[in-house]
Structures are given as structure tokens and as C-alpha cells.
């Protein structure tokens, strides 16, 4: 396991952070897919544990959650999965999870087990800084980092408060809404990153709606430390469900293309 | 950091960051306008002349004879729209108007909240979208038609079993992308703060009136206050007035569906466990990993795997008790009540009546009960017919 500080410090460009729903479409295929992503140049992984009611996610990730759940994924198996990935290659692993799954597992035990599996940070999709204090002590005790979101409608003073609670990176979104592909990347991303940077020097990663090398390049040019790509990769699964052997190669090609674009872009941060 | 909207350990604010500014805006507006003279005056006038408040408290004589104690009906079924839902939609709709919002969205299960939102959308000239599970769209087609008549757009939601939970998921998702000009008119006393507080506030007239009417009609407080509980808005409206009256026993009745030993019920407080869903910590119907169950109950309006946080608190504190009745018991009392009182009760409200019928012979005859007849059952005639066709019952 490696931390974000070291990773962002080492990279002279914007980090490539693919997102996967663990166990989509099956445990084994998902494992192969994530390993392929690492081979294709992923710098950090963002992994999600599927939830029955993912209110922050658009249709593509919702379907991925349902596929994974139908194939029998549980939080315990997801932690085992993370352990296998960490053993395959040391890479920072951020977790994206809905709060009820942690509450039912037991917050302290969850943080401990995730850290032990090789995890780096936890972002709880439905836990804002207002209620985060019921979880942060467990996160810190386990030696994990925190990741919180900043959205285009987050007020100035709240950016400070969010940054103060963040030890890993700030996850910001290109525009309002749920996860999912967008044809146009909002013009607001550059001013948003600039606005956040006036408040904090914490790393900033941008997600939601990044679906092409061109988008990734725009995000890199806007000064982001990382670019998170989710729905577009999950689409590679959706489009190849009848020919699962094509999933990993398709996603691998896409990720390699993004990586090349980021390496050609000027340095982020 | 602030810990707002708490009912003991329940309630809270568990939502994605993108929703926080909108919820804070609604909370601030509510605090600003709830006691504002112009707001109160406008709302009172709407309650009185548009919705039909106060609603009567009526002694259901023949039903009382059958059960062996006095049953007083709080006639929310007589309100415009046919249910208590209009209390909340008028209140929140007016709040949206005072805030300068021009678009409304809502989720709906039985269609009663969707209908009440469509009514308010038309009344205030606001563009209205109602998210409704696919299953509910089919089983509540009369309400769907009425919503469309009033100019609302009904958006069928495909996810899950196509019921209220899925409609809420989709409404929340839509809201995250349209937060700047859209007011989410939430239908029940659940969800993230400030909704449990706001919905309770706008439903409080039910209990306030009922308490006063009891004192006028029977010269004392009731022995029991009973209401059905799905999310719990009609129930908290009634219960709120009696919480300090320690001698008034408070009973909430949940949907026992096809039996508590199956997953085909929505008895969240009776059978659930504590967790976090749709912005609040409360009781939930969930598996051991925290995945939420699909619920099933004859009454679409109760079909929800969560429940308002204040009910969770009232349960744990022992101030209120929560019970359930089965679909069959509900159908039995529906039939009986229509024939003895000439009132078609909503299947939701029939849950409360069914529990009362089960108390036959168990309560002293001096007992006075106030039950919230939260809605009328015209919308449910088709569902009842599909379970128990009239033709098969006619001699």
C-alpha cells in the first residue's frame, strides 16, 4: 500500500484514477479488469462497493451495482477483493461506499479491515462533513485518509471546512448531478479548481462525466491533480456482457488512451 | 460541527455533498417563514378555503358498536385531493413560492402525494414533475391520470421493484442536477433534515384540531390515538399533539403485508433494524450487509423500507408503540367499514382500522379512540376488486 502524498508527489502529471464497482459483472471478471487497468497505467484506484440504493449514481453505475449484487458481492467479499488487488500491485486504493454498508459492518471494524486489506482512503457518498465526525476517529485510528467532495454549488466558507477535514484528496465534480457520462465538460471546471485552490493546497481530483481523452486533457489543463473516470469504463462492461472476454481488453485500451493523453498534457497540480 | 435534525440518535443529514446547500437553503427559508405573518395568513387561508380545514372529528357509530368502544374518525379523507397529503404540499408549495422557486419535483407511492403536489403545482402555476415507481404507476393509474389532468408530468421509475423507494432515489438524483431552480417537495416525515421537521410542522394541524375537538365533543382527551405508518407523516401529524399527554396511548400501525416471516411486508419499526437510508438514520428493512429490501404491501402508500426518524425515536423511548396488520386483515376491515359507515377508507388508513377491529373485546367500552382516517379509498377500489372481486362475494 502507498499513500496519496507520495503518489501525487512522485507524479509530474495528473494522476489517472479509474473507478470500478467491485464484483461487476462477477468477482473473477472484475478482478481481471482491475488488474488490466493497473497494467494499462492506472496511478490510483477508486473502487466502489455496490449498494441497493445508490442515490449519487446515474444509470450506468446503478446497473453495475445491481449486476455485482446479483453475482453475490458483499462488503466482506469486497474487502477480500481489495486484498487481492493490493497483493497484485501496490497502488493507493480509494473506496467509494454508501454509509449504511459501513454502519452495518461496524464502522471501526470496517476501517480496520479495509486498511488491513491494503486500502488508502474512504469516501462515503452520503456522509458530509456535518455528520462525518461519527466516522473520522475510526478512519484515523485505522491509519486511513479521508476524501470529501466539493461540488460547484459548495459555498466558499464550506470549502475551508471540507478541506480541513480532508487528509487525502478533494473529490470535485465537473458539474451538478449524479455520476455519468457527459458530452460536454462544463466550462465551470477550470474556475472551480481555481476557486478551490484559493482555499487549500490539498490535492484535487475531478470526477463525474469524464468520458474521453479530450475531457481528461481538459481536466489536466485546468490544474487537477487527478482525473477519476467511472461510468465510461463501466460502459465497457455493459457493452460486452455477452462477450465477457472482451471487457478487460476494451477497458484496457480506453485507459491506455487516457494515460497517453495525460502524459502529453502539461503537469497538473 | 452542527448536529441538526436529531431525534435522539435518529434523523440527520446523510446526503451527498451536492444536496447540502439546497437543504440548508430550505431549512433557512422554513425558519424564516414558518411564523412570518404573511406566510401564516396565506397558509391558513389555503387550509381553510382551498383544502377544507378544519376536518371534522366524527364518531363512527356502527363501527364503534362492532368493536365495543368509541372510535372517532379524524376525517382527513374529506380534504381536497382525498388525503392528508395536501396539508404538507400546500405548506411546502407556499414555502417554495416564498423562496422564489418556480419548479416542483416530488416522489410518490400511492400517488396521493404526487396528486397533492400536482394540485399545488397547478394552484401556484409551477412546473411539476412527479417521480413514481413503474409498479405504482400501474396499480394507481387513476391518480396518475388525475396528476396529468392538472398538468404534472409523471415520470415512471424503472429501478428496483418500481415502488416508493425507487421513486425517492430517482427524485434525489434529478434534484442533484437541477438544484438551482427546483424545490423538492418531499412527501413524508422522513428523509434528510429538514424534511422530517418541515413535514411534521405542516401536518400538525391534524393533531391540534383532533385534540381540541376531543375536548369539545367528549369533554376529555382520548385514551388512544391511532394512525397508519408508512413514512409516517399522517401519524406524526396526529401524534404530535398528544406526545405530552402521558395518559394518551399512541399506536402506529404498519403494513404486515403477507406476513412478518416473509419479506413481503413493510413493517419497518416492528421488524426492521437501525441503519441509514435516504438521508436519515432510522429503522430500515435490510439484510445483514445493509442492502435495502424491496418491500411489498397491499397499500402502495405504506410500501417503504424506511420510516420517519421521530417514529424511530418514539418507539425506542417507549412513548409510542408500533404494530402491524396483514393484507388480509386490511381487506376484511375495508369491506366492513364501507358497509357499516358508508365511507370508503384508503387502504393505508384501513391498517389503523384493522388494528382497532382486532382490539374488539380487549378494550373497556368507555375507551375513546381517535383514529386518523388519513385518506379516502376510491383510488383503491380496483386493487380491492382484484383481490376480492365483488361478483364472487355477491350472494
Amino acid at each position: 500500500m502507498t499513500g496519496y502524498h507520495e503518489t501525487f508527489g512522485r507524479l509530474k502529471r495528473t494522476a489517472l484514477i479509474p473507478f470500478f464497482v467491485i464484483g461487476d459483472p462477477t468477482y473473477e471478471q472484475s478482478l481481471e479488469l482491475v488488474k488490466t487497468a493497473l497494467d494499462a497505467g492506472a496511478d490510483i484506484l477508486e473502487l466502489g462497493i455496490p449498494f441497493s440504493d445508490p442515490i449519487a449514481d446515474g444509470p450506468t453505475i446503478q446497473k453495475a451495482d445491481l449486476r455485482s449484487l446479483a453475482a453475490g458481492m458483499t462488503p466482506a467479499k469486497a474487502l477480500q477483493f481489495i486484498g487481492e488487488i493490493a497483493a497484485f500491485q501496490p497502488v493507493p486504493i480509494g473506496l467509494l461506499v454508501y454509509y449504511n454498508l459501513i454502519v452495518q459492518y461496524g464502522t471501526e471494524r470496517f476501517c480496520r479491515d479495509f486498511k488491513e486489506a491494503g486500502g488508502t482512503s474512504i469516501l462515503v457518498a452520503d456522509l458530509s462533513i456535518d455528520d462525518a465526525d461519527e466516522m473520522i476517529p475510526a478512519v484515523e485510528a485505522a491509519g486511513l485518509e479521508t476524501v470529501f467532495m466539493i461540488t460547484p454549488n459548495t459555498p466558499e466558507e464550506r470549502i475551508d471546512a471540507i478541506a480541513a477535514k480532508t487528509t487525502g484528496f478533494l473529490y470535485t465534480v465537473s458539474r451538478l448531478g449524479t455520476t455519468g457520462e457527459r458530452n460536454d465538460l462544463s466550462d465551470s471546471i477550470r474556475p472551480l479548481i481555481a476557486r478551490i485552490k484559493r482555499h487549500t493546497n490539498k490535492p484535487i481530483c475531478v470526477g463525474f462525466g469524464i468520458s474521453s481523452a479530450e475531457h481528461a486533457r481538459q481536466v489536466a489543463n485546468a490544474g487537477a491533480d487527478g482525473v477519476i473516470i467511472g461510468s465510461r469504463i463501466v460502459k465497457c462492461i455493459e457493452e460486452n456482457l455477452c462477450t465477457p472476454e472482451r471487457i478487460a481488453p476494451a477497458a484496457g485500451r480506453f485507459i491506455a488512451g487516457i494515460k497517453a493523453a495525460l502524459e502529453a498534457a502539461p503537469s497538473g497540480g | 460541527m452542527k448536529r441538526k435534525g436529531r431525534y435522539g440518535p435518529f434523523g440527520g443529514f446523510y446526503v451527498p455533498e451536492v444536496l447540502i446547500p439546497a437543504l440548508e437553503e430550505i431549512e433557512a427559508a422554513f425558519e424564516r417563514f414558518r411564523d412570518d405573518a404573511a406566510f401564516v395568513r396565506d397558509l391558513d387561508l389555503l387550509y381553510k378555503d382551498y383544502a377544507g380545514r378544519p376536518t371534522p372529528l366524527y364518531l363512527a357509530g356502527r363501527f364503534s358498536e362492532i368493536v365495543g368502544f368509541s372510535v372517532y374518525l379524524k376525517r382527513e379523507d374529506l380534504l381536497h385531493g382525498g388525503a392528508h397529503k395536501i396539508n404538507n404540499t400546500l405548506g411546502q408549495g407556499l414555502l417554495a413560492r416564498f423562496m422564489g422557486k418556480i419548479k416542483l419535483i416530488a416522489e410518490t407511492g400511492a400517488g396521493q402525494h404526487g396528486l397533492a403536489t400536482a394540485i399545488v403545482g397547478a394552484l401556484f402555476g409551477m412546473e411539476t414533475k412527479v417521480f413514481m415507481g413503474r409498479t405504482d404507476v400501474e396499480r394507481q393509474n387513476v391518480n396518475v391520470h388525475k396528476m396529468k389532468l392538472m398538468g404534472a408530468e409523471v415520470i415512471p421509475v424503472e429501478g428496483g421493484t418500481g415502488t416508493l423507494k425507487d421513486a425517492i432515489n430517482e427524485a434525489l438524483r434529478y434534484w442533484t442536477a437541477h438544484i438551482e431552480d427546483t424545490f423538492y417537495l418531499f412527501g413524508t416525515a422522513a428523509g434528510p433534515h429538514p424534511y422530517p421537521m418541515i413535514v411534521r410542522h405542516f401536518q400538525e394541524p391534524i393533531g391540534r384540531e383532533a385534540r381540541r375537538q376531543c375536548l369539545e365533543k367528549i369533554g376529555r382527551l382520548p385514551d388512544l390515538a391511532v394512525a397508519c405508518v408508512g413514512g409516517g407523516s399522517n401519524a406524526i401529524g396526529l401524534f404530535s399533539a398528544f406526545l405530552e399527554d402521558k395518559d394518551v396511548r399512541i399506536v402506529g400501525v404498519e403494513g404486515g403485508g403477507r406476513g412478518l416471516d416473509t419479506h413481503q411486508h413493510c413493517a419497518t419499526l416492528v421488524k426492521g433494524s437501525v441503519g441509514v437510508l435516504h438521508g436519515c438514520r432510522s429503522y430500515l428493512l435490510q439484510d445483514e450487509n445493509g442492502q435495502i429490501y424491496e418491500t411489498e404491501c397491499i397499500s402502495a402508500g405504506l410500501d417503504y423500507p424506511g420510516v420517519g426518524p421521530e417514529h424511530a425515536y418514539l418507539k425506542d423511548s417507549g412513548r409510542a408503540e408500533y404494530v402491524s396488520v396483514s393484507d388480509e386483515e386490511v381487506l376484511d376491515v375495508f369491506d366492513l367499514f364501507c358497509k357499516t359507515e358508508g365511507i370508503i377508507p384508503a387502504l393505508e388508513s384501513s391498517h389503523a382500522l384493522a388494528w382497532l377491529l382486532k382490539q374488539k373485546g380487549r378494550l373497556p367500552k368507555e375507551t375513546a379512540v381517535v383514529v386518523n382516517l388519513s385518506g379516502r379509498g376510491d383510488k383503491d377500489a380496483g386493487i380491492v376488486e382484484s383481490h376480492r372481486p365483488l361478483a364472487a362475494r355477491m350472494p
Side-chain angles (χ1 to χ4, degrees):
Chain A
M1 101 209 74
T2 48
Y4 293 129
H5 190 76
E6 182 201 326
T7 303
F8 288 121
R10 178 170 47 80
L11 290 175
K12 296 286 177 267
R13 54 168 172 77
T14 303
L16 170 57
I17 312 174
F19 168 83
F20 301 91
V21 173
I22 297 171
D24 170 35
T26 66
Y27 188 102
E28 288 306 325
Q29 287 168 15
S30 181
L31 198 60
E32 186 198 342
L33 178 59
V34 175
K35 288 177 178 175
T36 303
L38 289 169
D39 290 339
D43 300 302
I44 294 169
L45 291 174
E46 187 77 7
L47 300 178
I49 303 181
F51 183 49
S52 54
D53 295 80
I55 58 168
D57 287 298
T60 303
I61 308 282
Q62 285 173 49
K63 282 185 225 155
D65 278 13
L66 292 180
R67 282 194 298 267
S68 172
L69 286 173
M73 184 48 60
T74 64
K77 284 184 196 167
L79 292 171
Q80 181 197 329
F81 183 100
I82 289 162
E84 289 200 50
I85 293 298
F88 174 76
Q89 181 178 321
V91 60
I93 298 174
L95 192 65
L96 205 159
V97 63
Y98 285 85
Y99 194 37
N100 196 45
L101 301 182
I102 295 179
V103 170
Q104 300 312 320
Y105 193 98
T107 304
E108 272 137 43
R109 189 164 75 91
F110 185 88
C111 292
R112 229 174 20 241
D113 290 357
F114 175 56
K115 175 70 180 183
E116 208 163 286
T120 308
S121 70
I122 300 183
L123 166 57
V124 184
D126 51 352
L127 187 70
S128 73
I129 54 165
D130 303 276
D131 288 313
D133 285 350
E134 61 188 52
M135 182 158 173
I136 286 176
V139 171
E140 285 176 349
L144 293 166
E145 300 186 44
T146 56
V147 172
F148 288 100
M149 294 194 84
I150 289 177
T151 52
N153 60 339
T154 304
E156 298 295 326
E157 63 282 6
R158 198 170 161 90
I159 294 178
D160 292 326
I162 292 171
K165 299 251 180 203
T166 302
T167 57
F169 60 85
L170 293 161
Y171 188 140
T172 190
V173 300
S174 55
R175 69 181 200 200
L176 299 179
T178 55
T179 55
E181 294 180 61
R182 317 271 198 262
N183 286 327
D184 62 313
L185 195 61
S186 169
D187 293 337
S188 69
I189 194 63
R190 183 182 291 272
L192 177 64
I193 290 175
R195 191 157 76 91
I196 297 170
K197 287 195 172 195
R198 281 200 296 276
H199 291 266
T200 175
N201 54 10
K202 299 269 164 71
I204 300 168
C205 299
V206 179
F208 285 29
I210 293 156
S211 53
S212 67
E214 178 52 31
H215 285 164
R217 199 163 20 237
Q218 287 172 21
V219 169
N221 288 340
D225 299 277
V227 53
I228 303 163
I229 303 174
S231 295
R232 181 60 189 82
I233 295 174
V234 173
K235 262 273 159 56
C236 294
I237 301 172
E238 196 179 308
E239 287 166 358
N240 291 293
L241 283 173
C242 298
T243 49
E245 70 281 3
R246 292 191 191 163
I247 292 174
R253 275 193 304 276
F254 176 73
I255 291 166
I258 301 281
K259 177 79 172 213
L262 291 177
E263 282 178 334
S267 73
Chain B
M1 203 44 61
K2 59 204 159 188
R3 301 279 290 177
K4 291 188 292 193
R6 293 282 166 173
Y7 304 85
F10 302 108
F13 216 22
Y14 302 95
V15 292
E17 179 64 29
V18 63
L19 293 179
I20 299 280
L23 292 168
E24 289 191 330
E25 186 190 358
I26 291 175
E27 182 195 27
F30 177 69
E31 295 301 343
R32 177 176 162 204
F33 293 120
R34 60 183 291 173
D35 298 318
D36 173 81
F39 183 85
V40 171
R41 186 195 60 225
D42 286 4
L43 186 59
D44 282 351
L45 202 65
L46 288 166
Y47 276 169
K48 179 167 168 283
D49 293 344
Y50 187 75
R53 299 216 74 88
T55 59
L57 187 73
Y58 172 73
L59 174 62
R62 294 188 66 202
F63 187 72
S64 295
E65 264 179 45
I66 290 169
V67 296
F69 49 85
S70 300
V71 176
Y72 291 85
L73 310 175
K74 182 58 176 162
R75 296 292 308 274
E76 297 295 296
D77 62 314
L78 294 177
L79 287 170
H80 178 44
H84 71 291
K85 292 292 185 186
I86 192 86
N87 302 324
N88 175 47
T89 57
L90 281 173
Q92 285 193 48
L94 192 64
L95 184 63
R97 192 182 210 194
F98 271 63
M99 290 168 73
K101 300 283 177 183
I102 52 167
K103 294 179 184 172
L104 299 176
I105 58 167
E107 83 295 342
T108 198
Q112 289 303 112
H113 174 60
L115 179 60
T117 305
I119 288 170
V120 167
L123 176 68
F124 293 149
M126 292 183 186
E127 186 187 311
T128 303
K129 285 187 168 62
V130 177
F131 294 85
M132 189 169 187
R134 171 68 71 188
T135 308
D136 289 339
V137 168
E138 282 158 19
R139 64 178 167 174
Q140 300 287 346
N141 52 5
V142 175
N143 272 342
V144 171
H145 188 74
K146 288 188 198 167
M147 284 185 258
K148 289 180 179 171
L149 282 177
M150 281 177 283
E153 184 187 350
V154 178
I155 300 170
V157 177
E158 300 291 347
T161 47
T163 61
L164 181 58
K165 167 179 91 117
D166 311 299
I168 293 176
N169 289 341
E170 206 52 37
L172 284 169
R173 289 178 189 125
Y174 179 90
W175 199 31
T176 61
H178 300 85
I179 220 150
E180 277 149 0
D181 61 355
T182 300
F183 185 99
Y184 184 6
L185 209 167
F186 198 68
T188 192
H193 177 73
Y195 285 111
M197 171 179 79
I198 290 180
V199 176
R200 179 204 216 256
H201 178 79
F202 292 132
Q203 295 293 359
E204 280 173 5
I206 301 172
R208 207 156 46 230
E209 287 171 17
R211 191 175 186 282
R212 174 171 50 75
Q213 289 164 326
C214 275
L215 293 173
E216 286 165 10
K217 270 190 200 314
I218 52 180
R220 63 179 178 90
L221 292 174
D223 301 292
L224 251 94
V226 183
C228 64
V229 178
S233 74
N234 92 85
I236 205 66
L238 179 68
F239 298 169
S240 60
F242 298 105
L243 292 178
E244 303 303 316
D245 301 319
K246 297 300 176 200
D247 293 334
V248 179
R249 184 180 165 201
I250 294 175
V251 179
V253 187
E254 297 189 311
R258 295 189 192 166
L260 297 182
D261 50 347
T262 70
H263 288 308
Q264 293 162 314
H265 65 80
C266 49
T268 309
L269 288 161
V270 173
K271 285 285 283 187
S273 55
V274 175
V276 177
L277 177 70
H278 292 153
C280 80
R281 185 188 294 271
S282 187
Y283 281 83
L284 302 176
L285 293 170
Q286 58 184 334
D287 71 12
E288 71 278 10
N289 293 317
Q291 308 291 357
I292 310 303
Y293 284 133
E294 309 289 352
T295 58
E296 207 174 314
C297 164
I298 194 165
S299 146
L302 303 184
D303 221 344
Y304 181 56
V307 65
E310 191 170 1
H311 288 295
Y313 177 66
L314 291 174
K315 172 192 159 83
D316 277 15
S317 68
R319 179 62 192 98
E321 54 197 287
Y322 294 88
V323 297
S324 71
V325 294
S326 69
D327 286 352
E328 289 302 314
E329 290 167 330
V330 168
L331 287 165
D332 287 344
V333 84
F334 178 90
D335 190 47
L336 174 76
F337 200 79
C338 288
K339 291 193 169 60
T340 54
E341 294 296 335
I343 295 170
I344 304 176
L347 284 175
E348 291 78 14
S349 322
S350 298
H351 282 71
L353 298 172
W355 183 79
L356 285 175
L357 186 58
K358 287 172 79 175
Q359 306 315 302
K360 178 180 177 176
R362 294 185 189 170
L363 296 173
K365 70 175 177 22
E366 311 77 46
T367 306
V369 178
V370 172
V371 58
N372 197 5
L373 195 63
S374 54
R376 68 177 186 225
D378 312 39
K379 69 186 173 63
D380 296 318
I383 295 167
V384 174
E385 180 66 18
S386 71
H387 282 82
R388 296 189 180 175
L390 270 179
R393 288 186 282 151
M394 289 297 179

